[in-house]
Amino acid sequence: MLAKRIIPCLDIKDGQTVKGTNFVNLRQAGDPVELGRAYSEQGADELVFLDITASHEGRKTFTELVKRIAANINIPFTVGGGINELNDVDRLLNAGADKISINSSAIRNPQLINDIAKNFGSQVCVLAVDARQTENGWKCYLNGGRIETDKELLSWTKEAQERGAGEILFTSMNHDGVKTGYANEALASLAEQLSIPVIASGGAGLKEHFRDAFLVGKADAALAASVFHFGEIKIPELKSYLCGEGITIRG
């Protein structure tokens, strides 16, 4: 079994870390550089920073923030938000990011996945998917969960893999911030039908939820935000617990 990864996620708005429930009701959670450094020291395997209100004006600010993050942490990190073209990828990688995450821009222009994989390598390209379980199955959403699309979770992630995505970051909008566990059934079907790693996102509230994401959902990594930001779960304790459950964890 490949070692599983624990990934804190920091949603950035106006230079601060924020966290909401079901993608709304945001509250502040602290300075992203300080939080990132703390997680790095506590044993997080990777970090994800998402500029959740990315706009053209905010790009320069976010690039500067990425440079500060890179100078302060020593673990790999992924950045996302407002990445629409190869120049954006180039700028963020040059600022120190290890990977980039695309979501809405990939749905609007799937060729972007091919272009990133071809120019920078598949390992750089993380496809983020915000999906909600509806009466018609799992539907993918645009613009931070605001607009439903005709893309279906499994077919879209398969297409992304074929186009060269190196990893899938799947957030269940039904589970986001609710702390009742990950969407393990959907995760397991993704893990079974894809050959690239799947990161579970949305729903962590207890250590057992991470265990279930790995054992039931067959996820390669588990991402969480508020349980880490507000000190409800400490990363060293979580890793120790998971090891005790027979799960191979990094470091």
Side-chain angles (χ1 to χ4, degrees):
M1 182 196 282
L2 279 173
K4 306 296 188 181
R5 291 169 285 151
I6 301 298
I7 306 177
C9 179
L10 296 89
D11 289 342
I12 313 294
K13 182 175 187 280
D14 303 325
Q16 285 293 307
T17 311
V18 294
K19 185 64 194 115
T21 303
N22 299 122
F23 283 50
V24 292
N25 303 325
L26 300 178
R27 57 177 173 151
Q28 288 211 354
D31 176 71
V33 179
E34 290 304 315
L35 272 175
R37 183 192 290 153
Y39 292 142
S40 177
E41 288 167 357
Q42 286 166 28
D45 299 301
E46 293 181 22
L47 296 170
V48 170
F49 294 86
L50 298 176
D51 185 359
I52 60 169
T53 52
S55 65
H56 189 64
E57 298 76 36
R59 283 181 181 176
K60 198 170 176 194
T61 314
F62 191 58
T63 307
E64 288 307 311
L65 179 63
V66 170
K67 286 180 182 169
R68 284 175 51 219
I69 292 163
N72 279 277
I73 69 169
N74 56 7
I75 56 174
F77 69 97
T78 300
V79 296
I83 297 169
N84 299 304
E85 55 190 25
L86 290 181
N87 282 344
D88 298 327
V89 180
D90 197 42
R91 174 170 46 79
L92 292 165
L93 293 178
N94 280 328
D98 297 276
K99 307 178 199 175
I100 59 89
S101 158
I102 51 174
N103 186 339
S104 302
S105 58
I107 290 178
R108 292 196 181 99
N109 172 25
Q111 180 63 32
L112 183 61
I113 301 170
N114 304 62
D115 294 344
I116 293 170
K118 182 176 165 221
N119 285 273
F120 302 102
S122 285
Q123 79 285 351
V124 160
C125 185
V126 178
L127 179 79
V129 182
D130 296 331
R132 187 189 293 279
Q133 192 168 22
T134 70
E135 291 171 2
N136 304 313
W138 283 91
K139 293 292 182 186
C140 302
Y141 280 68
L142 283 169
N143 291 23
R146 294 179 185 88
I147 303 168
E148 185 179 330
T149 72
D150 60 357
K151 297 271 191 204
E152 187 274 325
L153 174 63
L154 201 56
S155 59
W156 172 227
T157 51
K158 275 184 171 173
E159 179 185 336
Q161 174 178 282
E162 285 161 15
R163 287 179 175 277
E167 221 165 2
I168 302 295
L169 167 52
F170 161 50
T171 300
S172 164
M173 294 171 62
N174 307 71
H175 296 72
D176 177 67
V178 182
K179 301 185 181 176
T180 53
Y182 293 94
N184 292 319
E185 204 174 306
L187 279 167
S189 64
L190 286 178
E192 281 158 17
Q193 299 197 50
L194 299 172
S195 59
I196 56 177
V198 177
I199 303 168
S201 168
L206 303 168
K207 293 172 190 167
E208 289 80 2
H209 295 155
F210 290 86
R211 175 197 66 196
D212 293 346
F214 295 136
L215 296 181
V216 182
K218 300 182 173 67
D220 296 276
L223 176 146
S226 57
V227 291
F228 296 142
H229 300 341
F230 302 115
E232 294 157 41
I233 294 177
K234 302 275 195 296
I235 292 171
E237 291 167 19
L238 173 61
K239 286 195 159 188
S240 172
Y241 164 78
L242 292 169
C243 284
E245 294 290 315
I247 295 164
T248 307
I249 293 289
R250 286 196 189 172

